[in-house]
Amino acid sequence: MRRVPDRSPRNMLQFANPTRFMTFSARLQPWLWGSAALVLAVGLYFALVASPVDYQQGQTVRIMYVHVPAAWLAMFCYTTIAISSLGTLVWRHPLADVSARAAAPIGAAFTFLALLTGSLWGKPMWGTWWVWDARLTSVLVLFLLYLGLMALWRAFDDPARAARPGAILALVGFINVPIIKFSVDWWNTLHQPASVFRLDGPTIDMSMLVPLLIMALGFTLLFLALHVAAMRNEIMRRRVRALRVRTASQLSLAEATAS
Amino acid sequence: MSHMGFVVAAYSATALIVVGLIAWVRLDGAAQRQALEELGDRPRGGRD
């Protein structure tokens, strides 16, 4: 009788164990790095050369092609952490905590980049580096959340003990993501309202929307490549820790037997 | 209206942070692989 492979979600989850992830990700990585480099190169050509200058903002509009993808990734990365945290709390999946921990520094870097490029765009256009409006402040809170998560994880020697409190903090902090997204609609902000993801369609001209979407895709591929690499490092770090703990306990047992 | 200095600063900061992130994952990966080899463990799933 022919054996039918079990493709139930429960069985598919077993494919995501750390050892199988290391094998699978080693094959995936070159494709991720290569496609990220290619899409970013095309995106940069459009952003810096082929796209027109804005009739009001002039060359300054080119900051949009790095600022907006960085801001999208800041939220996408936190959403990845929140979904991974759900995996830690509900299914206690070993890769879920690894995924959350690996994503946090990358998310913090992109959030910082969104704040920095936003400031560099704000000074010539608004006449100020910073204003305490709802969008800017909620993104700053997101950056502080990333730092808080990383500090919490580092406060524990054993990553397994840090997983649960980290996951709870990450999920509580997720409330900030819709606040960031809708802050420009709920409050009167200096920051402009949404111009790409709108119910009535984008309000940007196609000559600027296409380069923006290419850059956003390139940034997303770059994040995926960085995240997979950081997850591999985290798995190896845990293996190093486990081996060191095992060696230390064998040594202390040998000393106790000898004395 | 040009403000090219702000555009150059934004793209330079982006390049710096992206290169920093790539260097971080590469150096951290190399350090973990070396630690595993010192502990006599074979790195699994191929190299980066």
Side-chain angles (χ1 to χ4, degrees):
Chain A
M1 201 170 93
R2 197 163 151 261
R3 208 171 147 205
V4 179
D6 180 5
R7 296 196 194 281
S8 65
R10 188 182 176 81
N11 195 53
M12 294 308 274
L13 268 181
Q14 289 169 7
F15 279 98
N17 75 46
T19 309
R20 282 189 181 143
F21 174 80
M22 291 299 273
T23 310
F24 172 70
S25 62
R27 271 183 259 150
L28 182 70
Q29 267 195 318
W31 293 98
L32 282 175
W33 287 116
S35 54
L38 187 72
V39 175
L40 281 174
V42 173
L44 278 173
Y45 169 74
F46 275 97
L48 295 173
V49 182
S51 67
V53 293
D54 185 71
Y55 80 102
Q56 272 186 323
Q57 300 188 39
Q59 297 284 357
T60 320
V61 75
R62 301 197 191 282
I63 297 177
M64 173 178 74
Y65 304 116
V66 286
H67 170 72
V68 174
W72 282 348
L73 268 194
M75 290 191 285
F76 179 71
C77 206
Y78 200 90
T79 307
T80 304
I81 293 176
I83 293 169
S84 302
S85 299
L86 211 59
T88 300
L89 289 176
V90 179
W91 297 286
R92 300 186 182 214
H93 195 280
L95 271 184
D97 182 50
V98 167
S99 165
R101 264 183 107 127
I106 306 168
F110 281 115
T111 309
F112 176 72
L113 185 62
L115 288 167
L116 184 63
T117 52
S119 195
L120 285 164
W121 198 7
K123 180 63 182 169
M125 293 299 104
W126 299 339
T128 180
W129 297 102
W130 181 263
V131 62
W132 291 99
D133 85 355
R135 171 58 69 84
L136 275 69
T137 308
S138 54
V139 175
L140 180 65
V141 169
L142 180 71
F143 181 60
L144 296 176
L145 266 169
Y146 276 121
L147 297 187
L149 266 174
M150 288 192 285
L152 178 70
W153 279 319
R154 287 178 75 94
F156 289 82
D157 284 334
D158 184 359
R161 285 186 61 214
R164 222 176 138 75
I168 292 168
L169 176 61
L171 281 172
V172 171
F174 186 68
I175 188 72
N176 192 39
V177 172
I179 291 176
I180 294 172
K181 167 72 185 144
F182 297 110
S183 57
V184 285
D185 303 320
W186 293 341
W187 293 285
N188 186 18
T189 57
L190 188 55
H191 193 284
Q192 64 162 57
S195 49
V196 178
F197 294 117
R198 296 165 57 98
L199 289 175
D200 54 351
T203 54
I204 304 182
D205 188 75
M206 284 302 281
S207 61
M208 292 175 180
L209 181 63
V210 170
L212 180 60
L213 292 177
I214 296 172
M215 284 298 280
L217 177 66
F219 267 65
T220 307
L221 287 166
L222 177 68
F223 163 69
L224 292 175
L226 286 165
H227 189 215
V228 166
M231 280 180 74
R232 288 171 61 82
N233 294 348
E234 183 63 27
I235 289 169
M236 286 192 284
R237 194 179 349 272
R238 289 177 187 206
R239 177 83 184 140
V240 167
R241 186 183 179 277
L243 286 171
R244 282 183 179 150
V245 168
R246 198 172 70 185
T247 310
S249 62
Q250 280 171 347
L251 277 174
S252 57
L253 189 70
E255 277 174 14
T257 314
S259 60
Chain B
M1 198 190 319
S2 168
H3 297 120
M4 273 308 282
F6 291 98
V7 180
V8 171
Y11 277 82
S12 303
T14 305
L16 202 68
I17 287 174
V18 168
V19 168
L21 280 170
I22 293 169
W24 167 63
V25 293
R26 302 295 292 186
L27 293 174
D28 189 27
Q32 299 312 320
R33 270 191 298 279
Q34 193 184 346
L36 280 175
E37 279 168 21
E38 281 170 7
L39 288 161
D41 192 62
R42 191 170 54 86
R44 294 158 189 202
R47 306 182 75 87
D48 290 332

